[in-house]
Amino acid sequence: MPVNKTILLVDDDADDRMLFTAAFTEAKTDHELIEFENGEQLFQYLDEKIPNTPRLIVMDSHMQKIDGEEACRKLKNNKNFARIPVIVYSGTSSSFQQEPVLKWGANAYVQKPSSYEKTVEIVKSILLLYG
């Protein structure tokens, strides 16, 4: 299945999406970032794009409609999407969330930082690891 240079961001908080997008732009990557407000929008997009799967999905754990847990489980139980790496990107304390999100099928957990500079660092690290 072909994999492109698209990264999907799923977060119901518009300010968090804006911050991540600005940091993504500052990282000067040739990847494309596509944003969604919830898991339902994510799956509508993925269903339309088969077999052109994204490089990575970065998603919040707490969202309306389909939350991060349900979305991870749904992705990993679908043969078309199971190989897409998923990073849960949430404001919840990492010591609390790390183990559960790995059980959901996520590849990693990253706690949302408190500053723009740290967000840029995190985005650059994500691109380095998964880009």
Side-chain angles (χ1 to χ4, degrees):
M1 185 175 300
V3 177
N4 63 32
K5 296 195 93 165
T6 303
I7 295 174
L8 307 181
L9 174 64
V10 189
D11 196 323
D12 61 350
D13 187 309
D15 291 335
D16 287 344
R17 286 194 316 272
M18 183 180 68
L19 188 65
F20 190 95
T21 300
F24 187 86
T25 301
E26 187 169 322
K28 295 180 173 61
T29 179
D30 62 345
H31 290 73
E32 174 186 20
L33 182 67
I34 300 175
E35 301 175 38
F36 303 97
E37 292 180 16
N38 57 58
E40 186 175 271
Q41 291 175 351
L42 169 70
F43 285 102
Q44 288 172 350
Y45 173 85
L46 289 173
D47 287 338
E48 292 173 8
K49 295 298 180 181
I50 294 173
N52 194 15
T53 61
R55 171 82 60 195
L56 173 68
I57 298 172
V58 178
M59 79 169 80
D60 190 17
S61 58
H62 304 288
M63 297 180 290
Q64 298 295 317
K65 298 189 180 181
I66 298 176
D67 68 7
E69 179 178 1
E70 183 181 353
C72 279
R73 293 184 189 279
K74 207 170 164 181
L75 286 164
K76 298 308 175 180
N77 289 320
N78 182 312
K79 66 178 177 148
N80 293 314
F81 311 135
R83 297 178 115 181
I84 303 169
V86 176
I87 295 176
V88 174
Y89 183 70
S90 181
T92 306
S93 164
S94 62
S95 60
F96 172 76
Q97 280 296 113
Q98 182 70 34
E99 188 176 334
V101 301
L102 297 177
K103 288 180 180 175
W104 303 345
N107 297 76
Y109 176 85
V110 176
Q111 186 172 354
K112 290 179 182 176
S114 58
S115 72
Y116 176 71
E117 292 76 19
K118 289 186 189 256
T119 302
V120 172
E121 288 176 25
I122 285 173
V123 169
K124 286 180 179 180
S125 295
I126 288 170
L127 291 169
L128 184 64
L129 290 171
Y130 292 96

